[in-house]
Amino acid sequence: MRYGEPSKGFQVAAGCVWIVVDVALIGWLLFRYGMTGWSDSYDDPVNAPAAPAEARRAAWIVLGTAVVSGGFLLLRHYWVTGVLQVLVLGAGAGMFAFFAARG
């Protein structure tokens, strides 16, 4: 451990806090996607479904959050937390991109 670099224990603790925030963000966006899909089922068939657009929006939000927060943590030498942030949010962005492509 170099001077000024956070300890591994502190990085793991910060990672646990960030994983809760990540799960809450992905859960809220997944709830929004589900509610939009549910309301699409009551809409006229002539109107385009809104759920794929909501999934695309969620994918961009999660991907942007992964880049900004994960990049900041890696810049501050929080290696464990930064990599965890990028992996979890990257998987969430991939999930929403899959939902958007599925239509």
Side-chain angles (χ1 to χ4, degrees):
M1 181 172 88
R2 295 187 314 234
Y3 176 75
E5 187 173 303
S7 68
K8 297 293 182 203
F10 190 74
Q11 289 187 42
V12 169
C16 290
V17 170
W18 275 107
I19 197 82
V20 170
V21 173
D22 295 344
V23 168
L25 173 70
I26 292 172
W28 172 250
L29 291 171
L30 193 59
F31 174 74
R32 284 182 51 143
Y33 171 73
M35 291 302 289
T36 306
W38 172 76
S39 67
D40 281 345
S41 68
Y42 289 102
D43 201 6
D44 273 339
V46 251
N47 297 332
E54 186 67 33
R56 263 190 308 281
R57 183 180 305 118
W60 280 110
I61 289 171
V62 174
L63 185 63
T65 304
V67 169
V68 171
S69 63
F72 175 76
L73 289 167
L74 290 172
L75 183 69
R76 298 291 300 159
H77 300 283
Y78 282 74
W79 305 116
V80 175
T81 309
V83 169
L84 180 70
Q85 190 77 346
V86 169
L87 288 177
V88 168
L89 290 175
M95 176 186 68
F96 284 116
F98 171 75
F99 289 157
R102 197 177 62 149

